[in-house]
Amino acid sequence: MELTEIIKPENLVYEKPRLMNNTPMHYCPGCSHGVVHKLIAEVIADMGMEDCTIGVSPVGCAVFAYNYLDIDWVEAAHGRAPAVATALKRLNKDKMIFTYQGDGDLAAIGTAETIHAANRGENIVIVFVNNAIYGMTGGQMAPTTLEGMATATCPDGRDIALNGYPLRIGDLLAQLEGTCLVTRQSVQTAGAVRKAKKMLRKAFENSMAGKGCSVVEFVSTCSSGWKMTPGQSNKWMEENMFPFYPLGDLKNVE
Ligand SMILES: Cc1ncc(C[n+]2csc(CCOP(=O)(O)OP(=O)(O)O)c2C)c(N)n1
Ligand SMILES: [Mg+2]
Protein backbone atom coordinates (compact mmCIF):
# COMPACT_ATOMS: atom_id res chain seq x y z
CA MET A 1 0.00 0.00 0.00
CA GLU A 2 1.24 3.49 -0.84
CA LEU A 3 1.94 5.81 2.13
CA THR A 4 -0.80 8.16 0.99
CA GLU A 5 -3.22 5.23 1.15
CA ILE A 6 -2.01 4.09 4.57
CA ILE A 7 -2.54 7.46 6.22
CA LYS A 8 -6.13 7.83 5.00
CA PRO A 9 -8.40 7.95 8.10
CA GLU A 10 -10.34 4.84 7.05
CA ASN A 11 -7.12 2.84 6.95
CA LEU A 12 -5.97 4.03 10.38
CA VAL A 13 -8.92 2.60 12.29
CA TYR A 14 -7.93 -0.24 14.59
CA GLU A 15 -10.66 -2.83 14.62
CA LYS A 16 -11.27 -5.99 16.53
CA PRO A 17 -10.98 -9.01 14.23
CA ARG A 18 -14.35 -10.02 12.82
CA LEU A 19 -14.08 -13.58 14.13
CA MET A 20 -13.56 -12.47 17.73
CA ASN A 21 -16.89 -12.20 19.50
CA ASN A 22 -17.79 -10.08 22.54
CA THR A 23 -17.34 -12.76 25.19
CA PRO A 24 -15.10 -11.22 27.89
CA MET A 25 -11.77 -13.05 27.98
CA HIS A 26 -10.72 -14.64 31.24
CA TYR A 27 -7.00 -14.11 30.62
CA CYS A 28 -4.89 -12.22 33.17
CA PRO A 29 -3.48 -8.78 32.29
CA GLY A 30 -0.31 -9.18 30.25
CA CYS A 31 -1.05 -12.73 29.14
CA SER A 32 0.05 -13.60 25.60
CA HIS A 33 -2.90 -15.88 24.85
CA GLY A 34 -5.30 -13.05 23.90
CA VAL A 35 -2.91 -11.59 21.33
CA VAL A 36 -2.27 -15.00 19.80
CA HIS A 37 -6.05 -15.56 19.58
CA LYS A 38 -6.36 -12.23 17.79
CA LEU A 39 -3.71 -13.18 15.23
CA ILE A 40 -5.38 -16.51 14.51
CA ALA A 41 -8.72 -14.73 14.01
CA GLU A 42 -7.13 -12.23 11.63
CA VAL A 43 -5.28 -14.81 9.57
CA ILE A 44 -8.34 -17.05 9.15
CA ALA A 45 -10.45 -14.07 8.06
CA ASP A 46 -7.72 -12.72 5.75
CA MET A 47 -7.60 -16.11 4.06
CA GLY A 48 -11.39 -16.23 3.75
CA MET A 49 -11.40 -19.55 5.62
CA GLU A 50 -13.84 -18.67 8.41
CA ASP A 51 -16.40 -21.25 7.31
CA CYS A 52 -13.95 -24.09 6.83
CA THR A 53 -11.54 -23.93 9.76
CA ILE A 54 -11.68 -26.21 12.80
CA GLY A 55 -9.60 -25.43 15.88
CA VAL A 56 -8.70 -28.02 18.47
CA SER A 57 -8.68 -26.36 21.86
CA PRO A 58 -6.58 -27.62 24.74
CA VAL A 59 -6.82 -28.09 28.45
CA GLY A 60 -4.88 -25.24 30.06
CA CYS A 61 -5.43 -21.50 30.23
CA ALA A 62 -6.69 -21.54 26.63
CA VAL A 63 -9.37 -24.12 27.38
CA PHE A 64 -12.07 -21.56 26.60
CA ALA A 65 -10.57 -20.52 23.24
CA TYR A 66 -13.73 -21.90 21.64
CA ASN A 67 -15.76 -19.22 23.43
CA TYR A 68 -13.83 -16.34 21.90
CA LEU A 69 -13.36 -17.15 18.20
CA ASP A 70 -16.42 -17.79 16.06
CA ILE A 71 -15.16 -20.76 14.08
CA ASP A 72 -15.76 -24.49 14.58
CA TRP A 73 -13.90 -26.11 17.46
CA VAL A 74 -13.34 -29.51 19.01
CA GLU A 75 -12.15 -29.73 22.60
CA ALA A 76 -9.41 -32.32 23.11
CA ALA A 77 -8.25 -33.96 26.31
CA HIS A 78 -4.99 -32.57 27.66
CA GLY A 79 -2.11 -33.37 25.30
CA ARG A 80 -4.26 -35.16 22.74
CA ALA A 81 -4.96 -32.25 20.38
CA PRO A 82 -2.60 -33.37 17.57
CA ALA A 83 -4.23 -36.82 17.52
CA VAL A 84 -7.69 -35.26 17.30
CA ALA A 85 -6.47 -32.84 14.62
CA THR A 86 -5.04 -35.77 12.65
CA ALA A 87 -8.45 -37.40 12.43
CA LEU A 88 -10.20 -34.13 11.60
CA LYS A 89 -7.82 -33.35 8.75
CA ARG A 90 -7.78 -36.85 7.30
CA LEU A 91 -11.57 -36.92 7.19
CA ASN A 92 -11.97 -33.30 6.03
CA LYS A 93 -9.14 -32.60 3.60
CA ASP A 94 -10.74 -29.35 2.45
CA LYS A 95 -10.83 -27.97 6.00
CA MET A 96 -8.08 -25.99 7.68
CA ILE A 97 -7.22 -27.66 10.97
CA PHE A 98 -5.09 -26.33 13.82
CA THR A 99 -4.33 -27.20 17.39
CA TYR A 100 -3.80 -24.61 20.08
CA GLN A 101 -1.59 -25.87 22.91
CA GLY A 102 0.37 -24.73 25.92
CA ASP A 103 3.79 -26.07 26.86
CA GLY A 104 2.45 -28.39 29.56
CA ASP A 105 0.01 -29.74 27.00
CA LEU A 106 2.40 -30.00 24.05
CA ALA A 107 5.78 -30.70 25.64
CA ALA A 108 4.81 -32.81 28.66
CA ILE A 109 1.41 -34.47 28.67
CA GLY A 110 1.11 -34.75 24.88
CA THR A 111 4.75 -35.22 23.88
CA ALA A 112 4.00 -38.51 22.10
CA GLU A 113 1.00 -37.13 20.19
CA THR A 114 2.94 -34.02 19.19
CA ILE A 115 6.04 -35.83 17.95
CA HIS A 116 4.17 -38.53 16.07
CA ALA A 117 1.68 -36.18 14.39
CA ALA A 118 4.59 -33.99 13.29
CA ASN A 119 6.63 -36.99 12.18
CA ARG A 120 3.72 -38.38 10.18
CA GLY A 121 3.61 -35.06 8.36
CA GLU A 122 -0.02 -34.42 9.14
CA ASN A 123 -1.25 -31.37 7.22
CA ILE A 124 -2.16 -29.43 10.33
CA VAL A 125 -0.95 -26.31 12.10
CA ILE A 126 0.23 -26.60 15.68
CA VAL A 127 0.04 -23.29 17.57
CA PHE A 128 2.26 -23.63 20.61
CA VAL A 129 2.10 -21.07 23.41
CA ASN A 130 5.25 -21.54 25.47
CA ASN A 131 5.06 -19.61 28.75
CA ALA A 132 7.51 -21.97 30.48
CA ILE A 133 4.97 -22.89 33.11
CA TYR A 134 1.71 -24.72 33.82
CA GLY A 135 -0.34 -21.53 33.95
CA MET A 136 -3.86 -22.74 34.52
CA THR A 137 -3.18 -25.05 37.43
CA GLY A 138 -1.19 -22.57 39.50
CA GLY A 139 2.23 -22.12 37.97
CA GLN A 140 3.92 -25.51 38.34
CA MET A 141 7.20 -26.38 36.60
CA ALA A 142 6.89 -27.49 32.96
CA PRO A 143 9.53 -29.22 30.80
CA THR A 144 10.12 -25.77 29.27
CA THR A 145 10.80 -24.03 32.62
CA LEU A 146 14.23 -22.38 32.48
CA GLU A 147 17.15 -23.37 34.67
CA GLY A 148 16.94 -21.45 37.94
CA MET A 149 13.40 -20.23 37.22
CA ALA A 150 11.19 -20.36 40.30
CA THR A 151 7.76 -21.99 40.03
CA ALA A 152 5.21 -23.30 42.51
CA THR A 153 6.83 -26.74 42.45
CA CYS A 154 10.46 -25.53 42.35
CA PRO A 155 10.36 -22.38 44.52
CA ASP A 156 14.17 -22.33 44.70
CA GLY A 157 14.45 -22.48 40.93
CA ARG A 158 14.69 -25.37 38.47
CA ASP A 159 17.61 -27.55 39.41
CA ILE A 160 19.09 -29.39 36.44
CA ALA A 161 20.46 -32.24 38.58
CA LEU A 162 17.00 -32.86 40.00
CA ASN A 163 14.64 -31.80 37.20
CA GLY A 164 16.66 -32.22 34.02
CA TYR A 165 17.21 -29.66 31.28
CA PRO A 166 14.56 -27.36 29.84
CA LEU A 167 13.21 -28.83 26.62
CA ARG A 168 13.50 -26.95 23.33
CA ILE A 169 10.80 -29.02 21.70
CA GLY A 170 10.68 -26.72 18.68
CA ASP A 171 14.25 -27.72 17.82
CA LEU A 172 13.32 -31.35 18.22
CA LEU A 173 10.29 -31.01 15.92
CA ALA A 174 12.39 -29.23 13.31
CA GLN A 175 14.51 -32.41 12.97
CA LEU A 176 11.53 -34.47 11.85
CA GLU A 177 10.95 -35.06 8.15
CA GLY A 178 7.21 -34.50 8.53
CA THR A 179 7.52 -30.84 9.48
CA CYS A 180 7.76 -28.19 6.75
CA LEU A 181 7.77 -25.13 9.02
CA VAL A 182 8.87 -24.69 12.62
CA THR A 183 9.12 -21.08 13.66
CA ARG A 184 9.55 -19.35 17.02
CA GLN A 185 7.78 -16.05 17.38
CA SER A 186 6.58 -13.69 20.12
CA VAL A 187 3.93 -10.99 20.52
CA GLN A 188 5.41 -8.50 23.00
CA THR A 189 5.90 -5.64 20.51
CA ALA A 190 4.02 -4.39 17.46
CA GLY A 191 6.90 -5.53 15.26
CA ALA A 192 6.87 -9.00 16.79
CA VAL A 193 3.12 -9.25 16.27
CA ARG A 194 3.49 -8.37 12.58
CA LYS A 195 6.23 -10.96 12.05
CA ALA A 196 4.29 -13.61 13.94
CA LYS A 197 1.19 -12.98 11.84
CA LYS A 198 3.16 -13.46 8.64
CA MET A 199 4.51 -16.81 9.82
CA LEU A 200 1.13 -17.94 11.12
CA ARG A 201 -0.37 -17.29 7.71
CA LYS A 202 2.43 -19.24 6.06
CA ALA A 203 1.72 -22.16 8.41
CA PHE A 204 -1.97 -22.17 7.51
CA GLU A 205 -1.16 -21.92 3.80
CA ASN A 206 1.25 -24.86 4.11
CA SER A 207 -1.47 -26.97 5.68
CA MET A 208 -3.86 -26.31 2.77
CA ALA A 209 -1.07 -26.92 0.24
CA GLY A 210 -0.45 -30.35 1.81
CA LYS A 211 3.17 -29.61 2.66
CA GLY A 212 3.15 -31.32 6.05
CA CYS A 213 3.04 -30.22 9.64
CA SER A 214 3.70 -26.57 10.57
CA VAL A 215 4.51 -25.50 14.10
CA VAL A 216 4.29 -21.88 15.25
CA GLU A 217 5.75 -21.48 18.73
CA PHE A 218 5.00 -18.28 20.61
CA VAL A 219 7.48 -17.51 23.38
CA SER A 220 5.00 -16.10 25.87
CA THR A 221 4.52 -14.51 29.25
CA CYS A 222 2.50 -15.63 32.27
CA SER A 223 2.40 -12.62 34.58
CA SER A 224 0.36 -14.40 37.24
CA GLY A 225 2.44 -17.58 37.24
CA TRP A 226 5.69 -15.65 37.08
CA LYS A 227 4.41 -13.27 39.79
CA MET A 228 5.33 -10.15 37.83
CA THR A 229 3.54 -7.17 36.36
CA PRO A 230 2.83 -7.35 32.61
CA GLY A 231 5.69 -4.91 31.97
CA GLN A 232 8.12 -6.88 34.11
CA SER A 233 7.06 -10.11 32.38
CA ASN A 234 7.84 -8.77 28.94
CA LYS A 235 11.25 -7.58 30.11
CA TRP A 236 11.95 -10.87 31.88
CA MET A 237 10.93 -12.79 28.78
CA GLU A 238 13.26 -10.76 26.58
CA GLU A 239 16.16 -11.11 29.00
CA ASN A 240 15.70 -14.74 30.00
CA MET A 241 13.45 -16.62 27.59
CA PHE A 242 14.78 -15.26 24.30
CA PRO A 243 18.42 -16.28 24.93
CA PHE A 244 17.30 -19.87 25.54
CA TYR A 245 14.44 -19.86 23.00
CA PRO A 246 15.81 -17.61 20.23
CA LEU A 247 13.17 -16.23 17.89
CA GLY A 248 13.19 -17.06 14.19
CA ASP A 249 12.63 -19.95 11.83
CA LEU A 250 14.02 -23.30 12.93
CA LYS A 251 12.90 -24.84 9.65
CA ASN A 252 11.17 -23.34 6.65
CA VAL A 253 10.90 -25.57 3.59
CA GLU A 254 9.77 -23.61 0.54
C1 LIG B 1 -4.03 -35.71 31.49
C2 LIG B 1 -4.13 -34.45 32.33
N1 LIG B 1 -3.12 -34.14 33.16
C3 LIG B 1 -3.16 -33.02 33.91
C4 LIG B 1 -4.27 -32.19 33.85
C5 LIG B 1 -4.33 -30.95 34.70
N2 LIG B 1 -3.98 -29.76 33.96
C6 LIG B 1 -4.92 -28.96 33.42
S1 LIG B 1 -4.28 -27.58 32.71
C7 LIG B 1 -2.71 -28.04 33.15
C8 LIG B 1 -1.52 -27.17 32.84
C9 LIG B 1 -1.62 -26.44 31.55
O1 LIG B 1 -0.39 -25.88 31.23
P1 LIG B 1 -0.05 -25.47 29.76
O2 LIG B 1 -0.42 -26.56 28.83
O3 LIG B 1 1.36 -25.00 29.74
O4 LIG B 1 -1.06 -24.27 29.47
P2 LIG B 1 -1.08 -22.79 30.11
O5 LIG B 1 -2.17 -22.87 31.15
O6 LIG B 1 0.26 -22.49 30.70
O7 LIG B 1 -1.42 -21.92 28.96
C10 LIG B 1 -2.71 -29.26 33.82
C11 LIG B 1 -1.52 -29.93 34.35
C12 LIG B 1 -5.30 -32.55 32.99
N3 LIG B 1 -6.39 -31.77 32.85
N4 LIG B 1 -5.22 -33.68 32.24
MG1 LIG C 1 2.10 -23.06 29.84
Side-chain angles (χ1 to χ4, degrees):
M1 217 190 269
E2 291 293 320
L3 187 62
T4 47
E5 275 294 302
I6 294 171
I7 57 172
K8 278 187 182 162
E10 62 269 30
N11 291 331
L12 291 175
V13 175
Y14 180 81
E15 286 177 344
K16 197 165 88 165
R18 206 162 20 93
L19 294 182
M20 274 181 120
N21 58 34
N22 289 329
T23 308
M25 283 188 168
H26 70 287
Y27 297 119
C28 307
C31 175
S32 309
H33 276 303
V35 186
V36 178
H37 284 20
K38 184 190 97 134
L39 286 186
I40 293 172
E42 284 181 356
V43 168
I44 294 170
D46 289 353
M47 292 174 74
M49 297 293 278
E50 45 275 77
D51 294 329
C52 36
T53 300
I54 308 174
V56 184
S57 53
V59 179
C61 278
V63 64
F64 296 135
Y66 51 74
N67 282 338
Y68 307 138
L69 261 64
D70 285 337
I71 53 168
D72 287 329
W73 288 92
V74 174
E75 170 66 42
H78 210 30
R80 311 287 105 91
V84 173
T86 295
L88 288 173
K89 185 64 182 180
R90 287 187 178 203
L91 294 171
N92 302 277
K93 292 201 170 43
D94 53 330
K95 301 268 194 244
M96 199 157 80
I97 312 290
F98 72 95
T99 72
Y100 188 103
Q101 302 177 259
D103 46 317
D105 182 298
L106 181 142
I109 297 159
T111 313
E113 282 78 1
T114 304
I115 288 179
H116 289 294
N119 196 47
R120 289 193 305 268
E122 301 294 343
N123 292 306
I124 59 172
V125 176
I126 295 180
V127 177
F128 169 34
V129 175
N130 179 7
N131 55 15
I133 208 164
Y134 283 30
M136 184 204 216
T137 40
Q140 294 86 357
M141 179 174 54
T144 45
T145 300
L146 298 177
E147 180 177 6
M149 180 176 170
T151 73
T153 45
C154 55
D156 296 327
R158 184 184 188 134
D159 173 4
I160 300 297
L162 187 63
N163 311 122
Y165 296 95
L167 181 59
R168 287 188 194 94
I169 196 153
D171 293 62
L172 207 149
L173 294 172
Q175 302 304 311
L176 305 176
E177 287 185 48
T179 51
C180 54
L181 172 69
V182 181
T183 183
R184 205 182 273 125
Q185 301 291 327
S186 193
V187 291
Q188 89 291 9
T189 63
V193 168
R194 272 199 297 276
K195 258 191 223 154
K197 182 175 173 181
K198 195 170 135 232
M199 296 319 293
L200 196 58
R201 175 154 187 162
K202 176 128 209 240
F204 277 116
E205 286 172 353
N206 285 346
S207 74
M208 293 316 287
K211 287 189 175 175
C213 186
S214 295
V215 182
V216 185
E217 174 175 352
F218 288 90
V219 182
S220 298
T221 55
C222 177
S223 308
S224 297
W226 295 359
K227 311 219 177 308
M228 294 177 198
T229 64
Q232 286 166 343
S233 300
N234 274 343
K235 191 162 182 290
W236 194 89
M237 175 174 70
E238 287 177 350
E239 288 172 358
N240 297 277
M241 298 274 282
F242 289 177
F244 191 81
Y245 299 112
L247 303 187
D249 294 349
L250 300 164
K251 181 181 197 176
N252 190 353
V253 178
E254 289 303 332

